[in-house]
Amino acid sequence: MRMVDLITKKRDGGKLSKEEVSFFVQGYTRGDIPDYQASAFLMTVYFNGMTEEETAWLTEEMANSGETFDLSSIAGKKVDKHSTGGVGDKITLITGPLVASIGIPVAKMSGRGLGHTGGTLDKLESFKGFSIDLSREQFMGLVNENKLAVAGQTGNLAPADKKLYALRDVTGTVNTIPLIASSIMSKKLASGAEAIVLDVKTGSGAFMKSLDESRQLAETMVKIGNNLGRQTVAVITDMNQPLGFEIGNSNEVKEAIQVLSGEKITDLREISVELATHMALLAGKFATYEEARAHLEACLDDGTALAAFRTFIGAQGGDTALVDNPELFPQADYHIEVKAPAAGFVHSIDAEGIGTAAMYLGAGRATKDDDIDHAVGITLMKKQGDAVQEGETIAVLHARDAEAADSRNKVLESYTINEEHIEKMTLIYDVIS
Ligand code: URA
């Protein structure tokens, strides 16, 4: 088999066989196929797409390209949750302990964030002492004991995806449904959960800007998961503005603690409970959606979910005093108010712009070797649909320098304020199973 023949076949609209897909994935992972041929191949996929079957073969081959996890020694049905990524997305910090608190095992392998703010691991490391370096035995043991553990993704989980993602990043081939779907699902399959709930974000701050594209991505991933023996459900949720009010690392953890303590932070609680409800249903814990939802809401309101969070943080070496006294998290030096330039209603808040402003403050990484600062971030004081007066504070920057001019300008640019009153956005668009 020759790579050039696969490239020309895809270029001319042909369909690859399972053997050809394996040849590409294995050859590229081993280093036998050079970057220039893999790049050309990715570009043919970008323009000509892939059939359902090709996408499933690609996913399976990438999932099996490295270490795979067998979670069978953990009692109960393991349910994973994955988000396609958004700004202010701290939902895993809520859904994890929430579903664990009703006895559903969550064995979560997470990555670090590259971009606006840290990933789940970075956020958790806001807790002094918290360790994500767990051996397999420790990881399984903690899930069996507490129903929840979060570990760093090993370097050898779906290495084909790792290599291909890095190439896609520099060849303009990230944004295409078969490649995104296979990339995400290969890691989920390799991580070993029996059921998966996908939070597919849609809107200006998401990979997929339109609802149609988001639905296509969701449908593709759900089909891959179900066809490969993992029950999969996707919930399409809004990312036309940041989620919740906090963007950063320790401030996002604080907001998650608020929701776990029963506070009604509307969008964050609503989406978290929706996703947790689907996790609980997939785990077979409840007969109806309504029953699952009511039970989970009660666990947020009566402290059960917060107790599970405290146990989880303590079990991985984190300082649990911070759970009960979030004011003890390290603080930034300056808290800079950004004022509304005019009166009116907040029409939109560009999530990507706010994410970039948080990165300027040091909350995220521009390259994978950058350090992140857990204390810096942004608090949004006004969200879409809110009325504002001229000069009123719309956001607060938690910064290390007194000016933070780049970040302040970016926040101002990200807010659109006009005279027209607008309704609040839909939070949940669709559920696909
Ligand atoms: N997240 C992934 O893991 N892969 C993609 O291709 C896009 C988002």
Side-chain angles (χ1 to χ4, degrees):
M1 222 178 272
R2 294 187 323 155
M3 191 59 208
V4 64
D5 300 325
L6 272 60
I7 297 169
T8 48
K9 191 174 188 183
K10 272 311 295 170
R11 182 199 65 194
D12 298 338
K15 184 187 160 188
L16 300 182
S17 67
K18 190 171 194 301
E19 290 67 36
E20 287 169 327
V21 173
S22 305
F23 172 81
F24 165 64
V25 175
Q26 291 184 11
Y28 185 61
T29 313
R30 271 198 310 267
D32 296 347
I33 295 170
D35 281 349
Y36 55 82
Q37 285 190 310
S39 308
F41 177 77
L42 293 172
M43 198 54 90
T44 66
V45 172
Y46 187 90
F47 283 112
N48 292 334
M50 275 188 148
T51 65
E52 235 173 67
E53 253 184 338
E54 285 174 317
T55 312
W57 293 329
L58 179 63
T59 311
E60 218 175 348
E61 202 60 56
M62 292 202 298
N64 292 329
S65 64
E67 205 175 354
T68 54
F69 279 75
D70 173 4
L71 304 180
S72 56
S73 64
I74 299 171
K77 189 163 171 187
K78 278 69 67 186
V79 186
D80 200 356
K81 171 251 162 203
H82 181 84
S83 159
T84 58
V87 177
D89 186 355
K90 65 281 286 175
I91 286 185
T92 294
L93 300 178
I94 301 167
T95 52
L98 177 54
V99 301
S101 76
I102 59 167
I104 298 171
V106 180
K108 182 105 195 100
M109 275 163 240
S110 261
R112 292 195 183 278
L114 184 61
H116 306 134
T117 60
T120 298
L121 296 183
D122 300 298
K123 288 170 195 169
L124 285 167
E125 283 175 348
S126 302
F127 286 96
K128 208 165 122 247
F130 190 90
S131 168
I132 50 112
D133 294 320
L134 305 174
S135 68
R136 263 190 200 225
E137 292 65 36
Q138 285 172 316
F139 182 61
M140 309 277 190
L142 285 175
V143 182
N144 263 327
E145 209 175 309
N146 303 322
K147 303 294 172 209
L148 172 62
V150 177
Q153 213 162 274
T154 75
N156 199 27
L157 190 91
D161 172 62
K162 202 171 187 180
K163 217 173 154 190
L164 280 169
Y165 194 88
L167 189 63
R168 286 165 58 207
D169 214 16
V170 292
T171 54
T173 52
V174 168
N175 247 348
T176 172
I177 287 174
L179 297 183
I180 298 176
S182 54
S183 164
I184 292 175
M185 291 305 287
S186 64
K187 286 172 288 208
K188 294 290 108 184
L189 294 176
S191 309
E194 292 147 278
I196 303 159
V197 174
L198 299 164
D199 179 6
V200 177
K201 305 284 188 200
T202 189
S204 61
F207 261 114
M208 297 288 129
K209 312 283 179 210
S210 76
L211 187 52
D212 261 5
E213 284 177 316
S214 310
R215 201 172 266 129
Q216 272 179 45
L217 176 63
E219 282 168 358
T220 306
M221 292 195 288
V222 166
K223 264 191 204 141
I224 294 173
N226 287 332
N227 288 340
L228 295 176
R230 314 292 170 98
Q231 271 182 291
T232 308
V233 169
V235 183
I236 303 182
T237 67
D238 187 62
M239 190 34 69
N240 280 299
Q241 64 175 338
L243 195 51
F245 292 89
E246 302 289 347
I247 297 96
N249 291 283
S250 64
N251 57 333
E252 288 197 29
V253 173
K254 286 190 225 172
E255 194 174 31
I257 292 172
Q258 288 174 313
V259 172
L260 287 165
S261 309
E263 276 191 43
K264 311 269 185 309
I265 300 171
T266 321
D267 56 349
L268 194 52
R269 174 162 164 140
E270 172 60 25
I271 297 177
S272 301
V273 171
E274 178 74 16
L275 292 165
T277 301
H278 290 287
M279 292 171 83
L281 288 171
L282 285 181
K285 279 264 165 191
F286 299 94
T288 66
Y289 173 91
E290 289 70 25
E291 199 189 329
R293 195 175 170 105
H295 195 91
L296 290 163
E297 299 257 13
C299 289
L300 288 177
D301 293 334
D302 69 10
T304 308
L306 184 67
F309 184 68
R310 196 184 289 110
T311 304
F312 150 66
I313 294 296
Q316 293 194 220
D319 180 359
T320 53
L322 296 169
V323 177
D324 301 303
N325 306 285
E327 68 284 357
L328 298 179
F329 278 108
Q331 298 286 319
D333 305 304
Y334 299 96
H335 304 280
I336 303 163
E337 296 185 1
V338 182
K339 310 275 190 188
F345 295 94
V346 178
H347 196 262
S348 61
I349 309 173
D350 174 31
E352 260 176 25
I354 298 290
T356 304
M359 193 170 75
Y360 291 161
L361 294 172
R365 294 184 182 83
T367 72
K368 69 180 178 13
D369 298 321
D370 287 352
D371 284 330
I372 62 165
D373 185 334
H374 291 95
V376 300
I378 299 172
T379 304
L380 305 179
M381 305 302 287
K382 297 285 178 185
K383 291 202 62 181
Q384 206 163 43
D386 287 347
V388 289
Q389 300 303 317
E390 186 180 341
E392 203 180 350
T393 304
I394 52 175
V396 178
L397 312 180
H398 309 290
R400 291 293 182 195
D401 83 89
E403 293 301 323
D406 287 356
S407 181
R408 169 203 286 275
N409 290 338
K410 199 73 195 167
V411 168
L412 276 172
E413 242 174 57
S414 304
Y415 269 83
T416 305
I417 297 171
N418 60 30
E419 286 171 8
E420 202 184 325
H421 178 254
I422 68 150
E423 294 302 323
K424 305 239 178 200
M425 283 283 188
T426 305
L427 294 176
I428 293 158
Y429 293 91
D430 210 348
V431 177
I432 290 164
S433 58

